[in-house]
């Protein structure tokens, strides 16, 4: 979720096992703990539900990327949803997928078989907290829901600047408030806002406004967008909403009022039957694009 902080006051909300997945590739760039298979499944489900937001973020990269784009680096590639989207968007580029978790990288490689992208994707196991990996020069660096997990993001951004070719592009993506949309007969219009506030109090997925960090790293911010999406009910939305509501209900209860808890209970009740779909999904992203001056 979105909890911008003042420049210089960085926060780390390591909520992987209890929070929500990242549609564009979960950030395991710094090797933080997660619950393995379950988290990977949730990430893939999140990617399916909010694919439109991934498409919009990748479109920002395509719009501002240098021509030609030969090398794209995906920092904190996770299960590879971002890697696959970038490989499709830049068909002439090599994509270097960097992650600290070997299990995630194995899953990423397995996911390349169907689309036939193996020849253009290279995986690198590296912990960014230990220093920038030797991945070579890049035309585009993509950091989706990963930058806020590293101990020293300012240093990582300076390293990204140095790794970019002149005119190269860095794209940073973070999540904004994500919540189930309850059935109409149990609508609670303030649920999304209340969940956003509760997640902020719990320290989930915190990050600052990256604009001054990007500028301090010597990059020129050329775009900033905040796309949102409301996904109608369906099989994937129901499964995602159930998993998300269960985590929020368990771990945010102390920050929510009775009406909020009742709304989450309504989501869980409505998703009990896998053959009916009455619950939707709401989410958003913030996308920054910054260029290394030529």
């Amino acid at each position: 979720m979105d909890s911008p902080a003042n420049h210089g006051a960085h926060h780390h909300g390591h909520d992987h096992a209890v929070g929500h997945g990242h549609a564009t590739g979960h950030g395991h760039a710094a090797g933080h703990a997660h619950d393995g298979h379950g988290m990977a499944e949730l990430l893939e489900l999140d990617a399916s539900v909010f694919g439109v937001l991934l498409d919009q973020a990748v479109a920002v990269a395509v719009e501002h990327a240098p021509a030609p784009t030969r090398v794209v680096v995906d920092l904190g590639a996770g299960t590879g949803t971002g890697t696959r989207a970038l490989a499709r968007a830049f068909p002439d580029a090599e994509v270097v997928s960097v992650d600290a978790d070997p299990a995630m990288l194995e899953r990423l490689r397995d996911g390349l078989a169907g689309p036939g992208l193996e020849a253009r994707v290279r995986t690198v196991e590296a912990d960014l907290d230990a220093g920038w990996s030797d991945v070579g020069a890049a035309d585009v660096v993509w950091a989706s829901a990963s930058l806020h997990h590293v101990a020293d993001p300012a240093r990582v951004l300076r390293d990204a600047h140095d790794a970019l070719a002149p005119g190269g592009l860095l794209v940073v993506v973070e999540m904004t408030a994500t919540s189930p949309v309850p059935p109409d007969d149990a609508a609670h219009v303030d649920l999304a806002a209340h969940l956003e506030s509760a997640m902020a109090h719990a320290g989930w997925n915190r990050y600052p406004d990256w604009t001054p960090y990007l500028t301090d790293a010597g990059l020129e911010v050329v775009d900033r967008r905040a796309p949102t999406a409301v996904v109608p009910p369906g099989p994937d939305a129901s499964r995602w909403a159930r998993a998300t509501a269960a985590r929020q209900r368990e771990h945010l209860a102390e920050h929510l009022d009775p009406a909020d808890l009742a709304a989450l209970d309504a989501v869980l009740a409505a998703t009990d039957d896998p053959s009916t779909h009455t619950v939707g999904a709401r989410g958003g992203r913030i996308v920054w694009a910054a260029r290394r001056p030529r």
Side-chain angles (χ1 to χ4, degrees), residues 27-199:
H28 293 109
H32 298 298
H34 55 82
D35 60 352
H37 180 75
M39 177 53 67
E41 293 291 342
L42 183 57
L43 296 176
E44 294 287 354
L45 184 58
D46 193 275
S48 175
V49 171
F50 292 111
V52 64
L53 294 175
L54 173 57
D55 292 343
Q56 291 181 57
V58 171
V60 173
V62 172
E63 179 178 340
H64 296 286
T69 295
R70 298 184 180 89
V71 178
V72 178
V73 176
D74 183 2
L75 295 181
T79 61
T81 55
T83 289
R84 294 192 296 272
L86 292 164
R88 291 190 295 266
F90 296 100
D92 298 322
E94 176 191 33
V95 180
V96 182
S97 302
V98 181
D99 203 283
D101 187 332
M104 285 287 183
L105 291 176
E106 181 179 0
R107 189 181 181 104
L108 184 156
R109 287 188 291 269
D110 289 344
L112 299 174
L117 302 174
E118 304 100 315
R120 292 198 293 115
V121 174
R122 175 164 61 97
T123 57
V124 175
E125 183 182 339
D127 184 342
L128 289 180
D129 284 343
W132 187 265
S133 178
D134 183 15
V135 296
D139 298 299
V140 174
V141 172
W142 169 274
S144 176
S146 58
L147 188 59
H148 68 263
H149 293 299
V150 300
D152 187 355
R155 190 268 302 164
V156 173
L157 287 173
R158 291 192 299 271
D159 289 346
H161 168 280
D162 294 344
L164 284 168
L169 187 74
L170 172 66
V171 179
V172 177
V173 185
E174 295 284 9
M175 296 183 71
T176 56
T178 301
S179 67
V181 179
D184 290 341
D185 60 357
H188 178 39
V189 294
D190 295 324
L191 179 62
H194 289 188
L195 286 171
E196 182 172 4
S197 176
M199 286 186 279

Side-chain angles (χ1 to χ4, degrees), residues 193-243:
H194 289 188
L195 286 171
E196 182 172 4
S197 176
M199 286 186 279
H201 281 99
W204 284 16
N205 203 31
R206 291 186 185 176
Y207 54 87
D209 176 3
W210 290 117
T211 303
Y213 286 80
L214 294 164
T215 301
D216 288 351
L219 297 158
E220 176 191 359
V221 178
V222 295
D223 206 336
R224 182 186 183 280
R225 303 184 195 181
T228 60
V230 177
V231 180
D236 283 350
S238 292
R239 289 165 52 217
W240 176 90
R242 184 171 185 81

